[in-house]
Amino acid sequence: MSFVQAAPLLGNQYRDDALLRSYLRRALDARMLAAIEPDLDALGQFAADAWLAARTHVDEEPELTHWDAWGERVDRLELTRAWQAAAPLAARHGLVAAGHETMHGAAARVHQFALVYLYHCASEFHSCPLAMSDGAVTAIKASGNTELAAHALPHLLSRDPAQHWISGQWMTENAGGSDVSNSETAARFVDGEWRLYGRKWFTSAINAQMALALARPEGAAAGADGFALFYLEPRDAQGRWQNITLDRLKDKLGTRELPTAEIHLDGAPARLVAGTDHGVRAIAPMLNVTRTWNAICAVATMRRALALAEDYAQRRRAFGGPLAEQPLHRATLTNLRARFEAAFHLSFHVAELLGVVQMAEASEAQRNRLRLLTPLAKLWTGKLAVAIASECCECFGGAGYLEDTGMPQLLRDAQVFPIWEGTTNVLALDFLRALRGAGGTQTLLDAQAEWHAQIESAELATCMQAAVALAHNAATRLQSLAKDRDALEAQARDLAFAFAQSLALSLQARHADWALRNENDGARVAAARRFACLSSI
Ligand code: MFK
């Protein structure tokens, strides 16, 4: 009988996650944690079951049928089984609703993003429309349009699968990707209602019941300020497309279960969200929420890749013992975990701040921190997810290159995180933009000093020194470049990475200190110290 390698296994992804559980014990009060734990446990099991199920069938993709048998244009979309199963689950567990419920106060966002973290990988990127729906809720609330809020929010925030809606976010056009000011979609006011004309080039989750879209009202000024933000429902009550045609589904590197379409709008009826101009400003709250989802889903991907690589290292024997006992392999996994844990803390800190700010409880400093940390978390975790998914494929040797192990899908899917919702460069420039209005680098240095003041354990001194050196060096470089805009922009990415890693290390050290003192957990300290010794990604 020839040798057969034991496959990696995933257990309940909540119960097995020492980091998540330790973090939640610190971030939430014990009564709240006890109340939400059954939900977390159920999603942890969903993650394990979905992984097992995905190994036993061939990957599915959504299908678009343009014409029926008699020649009528129908643009019928069929979703995959995973997507059909994910939608009711997302509603029942309140993946969007939990972030807006008030019974847990500002901790609502920690609750929500813990659910998202457990749900993301198993959902086959059903997390994407949920992110856009959450962003739509936030943008509609911020617009002050009470009539629209009364119409759409009960659906977007429903926990009843029969009532629950998802939203699209229609920005990207052929001529306007990162630079949306080039977008061509026009809005005309005809017979008392707005109608949209144009082509949207990447519409994620085209099955959504509603969408927020940018379009330029006829006669409006050129550039980003001339756009208005519109609300529309792509299909009527009978399910027919309302003057919209689906030209094709995109043939993407990853996220293949997510139906991303190229569409034509030929008079699609729409409603203004917030006035006839400054549409980019009106959609910005949505962008900041989807960027937070992006960061959390990126760390969820890192966690999944590492969970598999760590489990496999116990099962695979080479050179006389398990991989887990080979010093270089062990060091490789330890380094990956150290980075992942830092990224986890940065992303969940953004979630905490989002909760505080949306409850209108935030100080100016907290609002500024949220504005600055959101692009930093998005840009760093997006890149790190690709790097960690790639390393984890390699931890499996040749098996990591085989589709049916599931590892290549993790890598292909991870590549979307640095691209959508603003590329790394766009986010680095957004960080510079944010610095101008959010108190500059002093906001970040003050936050860091505040976190360090909470650390008592001497074991974490090297972490604090490394973090301070990185942030202060970046702040000095930034100041020296302040008068040369081109030179500053050329270094924006390096500066943003330096701040992201420095602040992530400080947050990681703060949690490690708490875990050591309260739970005698030295593993978190070891991870923080290791991250402090690593050079940048
Ligand atoms: C699982 C995870 C799920 C994630 C969901 C993924 C769904 C996928 C759907 C998509 O991919 S949608 C496409 C995403 N596209 C982008 O993210 C566009 C990238 N481009 C940018 O982000 C640009 O920075 C942006 C278009 C937002 C702005 O560029 P502009 O045209 O140069 O505008 P400008 O003049 O800088 O900003 C206009 C206003 O918006 C300004 O305010 P004022 O009018 O008051 O001066 C800005 O301050 C404000 N603004 C821009 N970005 C902001 C912001 N305000 C707050 N936060 C921000 N991030």
Side-chain angles (χ1 to χ4, degrees):
M1 185 66 172
S2 61
F3 172 77
V4 176
Q5 173 60 47
L9 290 179
L10 285 182
N12 180 306
Q13 290 297 282
Y14 174 63
R15 281 178 231 162
D16 285 0
D17 195 329
L19 173 66
L20 174 66
R21 298 183 69 174
S22 169
Y23 166 74
L24 292 177
R25 285 193 294 270
R26 182 177 63 78
L28 303 179
D29 76 51
R31 252 195 316 179
M32 174 177 171
L33 183 55
I36 68 171
E37 211 154 30
D39 254 0
L40 298 171
D41 199 61
L43 286 180
Q45 194 54 46
F46 166 62
D49 295 345
W51 168 259
L52 211 57
R55 304 281 68 72
T56 61
H57 61 74
V58 178
D59 290 347
E60 293 180 350
E61 297 191 9
E63 279 180 24
L64 175 61
T65 304
H66 287 302
W67 307 99
D68 76 2
W70 312 105
E72 189 182 350
R73 178 93 191 215
V74 287
D75 289 350
R76 191 175 60 242
L77 186 66
E78 277 170 56
L79 301 172
T80 66
R81 278 176 297 176
W83 262 55
Q84 289 172 35
L89 195 75
R92 278 198 296 272
H93 286 284
L95 268 286
V96 178
H100 295 268
E101 286 166 352
T102 51
M103 74 264 209
H104 299 308
R109 287 296 188 173
V110 174
H111 174 201
Q112 174 193 29
F113 281 112
L115 298 171
V116 172
Y117 176 73
L118 292 165
Y119 177 80
H120 165 67
C121 288
S123 82
E124 302 286 358
F125 275 84
H126 186 256
S127 43
C128 165
L130 299 179
M132 297 189 292
S133 307
D134 191 357
V137 171
T138 310
I140 291 170
K141 280 184 182 172
S143 74
N145 186 335
T146 50
E147 198 186 319
L148 181 56
H151 174 72
L153 267 46
H155 290 291
L156 293 169
L157 295 173
S158 177
R159 283 175 175 261
D160 173 359
Q163 292 297 319
H164 188 237
W165 283 3
I166 54 173
S167 175
Q169 173 189 352
W170 297 358
M171 289 177 74
T172 307
E173 299 191 14
N174 210 349
S178 294
D179 182 2
V180 298
S181 63
N182 291 329
S183 299
E184 294 168 329
T185 296
R188 290 187 203 134
F189 197 64
V190 185
D191 297 335
E193 72 171 339
W194 287 96
R195 292 191 173 264
L196 306 190
Y197 299 82
R199 179 157 68 157
K200 293 287 178 183
W201 192 240
F202 277 98
T203 53
S204 294
I206 191 58
N207 58 315
Q209 290 88 347
M210 57 159 278
L212 296 187
L214 290 177
R216 195 182 307 280
E218 263 184 335
D225 287 350
F227 292 119
L229 183 59
F230 288 92
Y231 165 93
L232 63 140
E233 293 174 11
R235 282 165 293 166
D236 65 16
Q238 284 72 45
R240 291 174 305 220
W241 296 99
Q242 302 210 71
N243 300 339
I244 294 173
T245 47
L246 276 55
D247 294 338
R248 58 178 163 168
L249 293 181
K250 294 291 196 185
D251 185 9
K252 295 170 289 178
L253 174 68
T255 70
R256 294 186 70 94
E257 297 219 18
L258 165 65
T260 306
E262 221 178 281
I263 62 172
H264 259 97
L265 309 173
D266 189 18
R271 288 159 70 169
L272 280 172
V273 174
T276 51
D277 57 6
H278 294 297
V280 174
R281 191 193 296 167
I283 206 170
M286 181 177 204
L287 290 178
N288 290 330
V289 167
T290 52
R291 287 169 184 177
T292 306
W293 278 71
N294 205 83
I296 297 288
C297 294
V299 289
T301 297
M302 297 177 211
R303 149 85 178 129
R304 168 58 58 88
L306 262 171
L308 292 164
E310 287 170 348
D311 182 80
Y312 188 69
Q314 305 289 341
R315 297 174 193 279
R316 175 70 175 168
R317 295 178 69 84
F319 307 114
L323 286 179
E325 289 173 17
Q326 313 286 340
L328 185 52
H329 194 80
R330 200 168 59 224
T332 303
L333 289 175
T334 305
N335 290 347
L336 294 176
R337 175 159 279 284
R339 290 186 168 109
F340 151 66
E341 293 202 5
F344 174 99
H345 287 294
L346 181 61
S347 304
F348 271 91
H349 187 67
V350 172
E352 288 170 29
L353 287 171
L354 188 59
V356 175
V357 169
Q358 82 177 17
M359 293 296 292
E361 289 174 359
S363 62
E364 189 185 353
Q366 285 168 317
R367 280 196 300 277
N368 287 342
R369 285 177 198 180
L370 176 63
R371 179 66 185 94
L372 291 168
L373 292 180
T374 304
L376 291 182
K378 195 284 184 185
L379 68 84
W380 183 47
T381 58
K383 282 297 205 205
L384 194 57
V386 180
I388 289 184
S390 170
E391 279 287 358
C392 288
C393 284
E394 197 175 328
C395 288
F396 286 79
Y401 206 60
L402 300 179
E403 284 296 337
D404 50 3
T405 62
M407 296 308 294
Q409 186 188 345
L410 276 176
L411 178 57
R412 286 188 274 102
D413 286 350
Q415 185 60 64
V416 82
F417 293 122
I419 294 177
W420 68 5
E421 289 306 327
T423 61
T424 309
N425 285 358
V426 165
L427 269 290
L429 296 175
D430 184 53
F431 172 62
L432 292 186
R433 178 203 280 119
L435 278 173
R436 289 194 288 273
T441 55
Q442 198 55 47
T443 296
L444 300 175
L445 300 178
D446 288 348
Q448 186 170 54
E450 197 180 289
W451 304 330
H452 286 182
Q454 295 163 25
I455 297 176
E456 294 175 17
S457 318
E459 287 92 330
L460 291 155
T462 50
C463 296
M464 291 191 278
Q465 283 155 12
V468 166
L470 195 55
H472 280 259
N473 183 23
T476 308
R477 272 167 61 207
L478 211 145
Q479 198 164 9
S480 72
L481 293 166
K483 293 207 171 70
D484 184 344
R485 193 187 158 107
D486 284 357
L488 179 61
E489 286 198 2
Q491 297 210 25
R493 187 197 267 248
D494 285 354
L495 292 164
F497 276 114
F499 277 113
Q501 291 176 76
S502 163
L503 297 164
L505 174 57
S506 298
L507 290 162
Q508 183 184 24
R510 183 180 64 161
H511 180 76
D513 175 71
W514 177 89
L516 187 66
R517 287 190 289 110
N518 291 278
E519 307 195 317
N520 201 23
D521 171 6
R524 311 279 80 84
V525 174
R529 288 170 57 132
R530 177 60 72 113
F531 183 56
C533 296
L534 296 173
S535 56
S536 65
I537 65 163

